[in-house]
Amino acid sequence: MNYTMVIADDEPLVLRSQELLIRKEFPEIELVGLAENGIELKQMLEQLKPDMAIVDVRMPGLTGIEVMELLQRRGCCTHFIINTAYSDFDYVKRALDIHADGYLLKPGKREESIETIRRLCRTVKEEKEQNLKQERMDTAMDLVGSVLGSEVLVSIFSEKCDEEGFAAFCDLYSIRFVRGCIVTYLPDKKMELQSKELNETLMAALHGLSNFLTTITSNGIVVLFFIPEELETERQENWCRELAALSAKCLKEKTGTDYCYGVGKVYSAFSDMKQSYQDSISDLRKFRNPDEDNQDKNFYISRTKQYVTSHFREDISLNGCAQTVGISPYYLSHIFKERTGQTFVEYLSMVRIEEAKLLSEKNEMTTKDIAEQCGYSNITYFCKVFKRLTGMTIGEYRSRCAARSQTSGAGDEHS
């Protein structure tokens, strides 16, 4: 077995001596770095991630002990042998306290140095073999779990859901199922995606967000999302839609194919996933039926505009509006831009500035009052938005309104 090593010492002769020792006695060890101070050592360990390092405890910049403590807190897996003089035994004790794998004394016997390094090689070898064994076990478990999960999910299409298989899957991965929902994805064209790729894509997309089961059907993809126990009931539907949208985006990036999807209702029993699947198919028809989909989108756009009209004087946001309307912020942002040609923020700014224009015609109102009446707490930002949307400052706009009023009044007198 081969190993990688870094040596650090601020004494060039010691550094060269240790280098020659390693090259002569340990052909299986590749020296990937020689450091003359603590800063260089830290950089080498972070970049090269060697299996082991021989480190001088006294070095300029950072001591060997300080580098070890710093990197071990960051999860560094390098094994350390410290190199120290007889007079620095306190450093030895401190190094052993932070789990150094051994120490060499300067000056020391060559045979003792060789034995210490050989002992560390055996330790690293055992660790690597154990890690390889664990990786193989994890791979096997993932394969078994993926097949089991797919078979369990397929059971929701049959007369009886495989609840025993589902319980076994949850036990295998120590997952507690509280509630879930089914999402069905249909690709725009023939899908070239295997089960292993599908699982890897969804695992990358949903890491830290949700556990899931998935299977590939003759038409598309079916996914069961496990809903977190702490998620409030009123947020569950939006959460599922956001997760579905995120997954569809990641699937497109992986395959180059657009996916439409339908989201089923949330249920607390695996046996109810059969119904959630039917719900997802019904939801999917909105994508397949343009007239129905258009009606829904128009409804959401109308409610959004009503919300802005009623609340533009307040500190409102896309998230707050989406929650009131009853869809996810991602979906609202998408359909609003699609149907109006404006973003939510652009539309909100337009409504606010239209009101500001009306208020500006009342000379008794200050700019500060107008800004606050239109939902702006920052006057400078308000003035900037006003200028951008009207092409004029408030003063210029008021002057133009006054001139227009005088012209209109003169016309009335003349007639």
Side-chain angles (χ1 to χ4, degrees), residues 73-196:
R73 285 198 297 269
R74 297 179 181 177
C76 174
C77 295
T78 298
H79 290 265
F80 292 95
I81 293 176
I82 63 165
N83 201 13
T84 182
Y86 283 101
S87 59
D88 292 331
F89 192 76
D90 285 344
Y91 280 103
V92 175
K93 184 178 184 302
R94 187 173 168 195
L96 295 177
D97 286 343
I98 59 174
H99 307 296
D101 294 271
Y103 63 90
L104 305 176
L105 292 176
K106 298 190 289 187
K109 295 181 180 179
R110 181 183 179 87
E111 294 75 16
E112 291 179 353
S113 296
I114 291 173
E115 177 54 32
T116 298
I117 297 170
R118 286 203 189 286
R119 189 163 54 246
L120 180 55
C121 287
R122 290 193 293 269
T123 298
V124 173
K125 180 182 179 182
E126 291 172 2
E127 183 179 276
K128 284 190 170 188
E129 290 174 345
Q130 184 61 35
N131 288 342
L132 182 60
K133 182 179 179 181
Q134 187 62 49
E135 286 176 9
R136 288 172 177 167
M137 289 179 61
D138 290 343
T139 300
M141 180 177 285
D142 287 342
L143 180 61
V144 170
S146 175
V147 173
L148 175 61
S150 179
E151 291 180 352
V152 167
L153 191 54
V154 167
S155 75
I156 69 171
F157 308 133
S158 61
E159 292 185 5
K160 184 178 180 181
C161 288
D162 184 5
E163 296 190 59
E164 290 185 3
F166 180 67
F169 175 87
C170 291
D171 287 342
L172 181 65
Y173 289 100
S174 301
I175 298 172
R176 182 165 182 260
F177 178 78
V178 178
R179 60 186 71 86
C181 78
I182 295 290
V183 177
T184 302
Y185 300 83
L186 291 184
D188 280 355
K189 56 186 179 182
K190 187 176 180 181
M191 181 180 58
E192 301 293 338
L193 192 65
Q194 303 301 316
S195 296
K196 184 173 183 294

Side-chain angles (χ1 to χ4, degrees), residues 97-361:
D97 286 343
I98 59 174
H99 307 296
D101 294 271
Y103 63 90
L104 305 176
L105 292 176
K106 298 190 289 187
K109 295 181 180 179
R110 181 183 179 87
E111 294 75 16
E112 291 179 353
S113 296
I114 291 173
E115 177 54 32
T116 298
I117 297 170
R118 286 203 189 286
R119 189 163 54 246
L120 180 55
C121 287
R122 290 193 293 269
T123 298
V124 173
K125 180 182 179 182
E126 291 172 2
E127 183 179 276
K128 284 190 170 188
E129 290 174 345
Q130 184 61 35
N131 288 342
L132 182 60
K133 182 179 179 181
Q134 187 62 49
E135 286 176 9
R136 288 172 177 167
M137 289 179 61
D138 290 343
T139 300
M141 180 177 285
D142 287 342
L143 180 61
V144 170
S146 175
V147 173
L148 175 61
S150 179
E151 291 180 352
V152 167
L153 191 54
V154 167
S155 75
I156 69 171
F157 308 133
S158 61
E159 292 185 5
K160 184 178 180 181
C161 288
D162 184 5
E163 296 190 59
E164 290 185 3
F166 180 67
F169 175 87
C170 291
D171 287 342
L172 181 65
Y173 289 100
S174 301
I175 298 172
R176 182 165 182 260
F177 178 78
V178 178
R179 60 186 71 86
C181 78
I182 295 290
V183 177
T184 302
Y185 300 83
L186 291 184
D188 280 355
K189 56 186 179 182
K190 187 176 180 181
M191 181 180 58
E192 301 293 338
L193 192 65
Q194 303 301 316
S195 296
K196 184 173 183 294
E197 293 178 296
L198 172 60
N199 269 284
E200 289 174 350
T201 301
L202 291 179
M203 283 179 68
L206 304 174
H207 180 69
L209 298 174
S210 174
N211 294 305
F212 65 90
L213 285 177
T214 185
T215 190
I216 296 176
T217 67
S218 57
N219 296 319
I221 297 169
V222 177
V223 180
L224 162 59
F225 289 123
F226 289 60
I227 297 174
E229 185 174 1
E230 65 274 10
L231 191 67
E232 299 90 340
T233 302
E234 61 272 14
R235 291 187 55 217
Q236 290 171 10
E237 182 179 349
N238 281 347
W239 182 87
C240 291
R241 290 195 177 277
E242 288 171 2
L243 223 58
L246 173 63
S247 302
K249 180 182 177 182
C250 292
L251 287 169
K252 180 180 179 180
E253 291 173 354
K254 177 68 177 179
T255 65
T257 301
D258 284 312
Y259 289 79
C260 55
Y261 56 86
V263 181
K265 289 184 173 60
V266 175
Y267 297 96
S268 58
F270 177 69
S271 58
D272 290 326
M273 292 303 105
K274 183 191 297 284
Q275 182 58 51
S276 188
Y277 171 70
Q278 295 300 327
D279 298 337
S280 74
I281 297 300
S282 298
D283 192 53
L284 190 57
R285 292 196 183 102
K286 296 177 182 179
F287 289 90
R288 312 298 279 184
N289 184 336
D291 291 336
E292 183 178 349
D293 189 31
N294 285 337
Q295 291 173 6
D296 284 344
K297 288 181 178 179
N298 290 337
F299 170 74
Y300 291 133
I301 298 301
S302 176
R303 286 196 64 187
T304 298
K305 288 183 174 181
Q306 290 173 5
Y307 178 84
V308 170
T309 300
S310 301
H311 299 277
F312 72 86
R313 294 180 177 84
E314 304 165 16
D315 182 18
I316 63 174
S317 65
L318 173 67
N319 287 347
C321 180
Q323 186 172 359
T324 301
V325 171
I327 56 177
S328 75
Y330 173 85
Y331 185 59
L332 176 57
S333 175
H334 173 73
I335 65 172
F336 197 88
K337 177 71 173 179
E338 174 190 279
R339 291 307 171 96
T340 68
Q342 295 176 292
T343 66
F344 174 82
V345 172
E346 288 170 345
Y347 181 76
L348 174 60
S349 297
M350 182 192 75
V351 171
R352 284 173 165 172
I353 297 307
E354 285 300 315
E355 177 70 9
K357 286 161 67 175
L358 293 175
L359 296 177
S360 296
E361 296 175 14

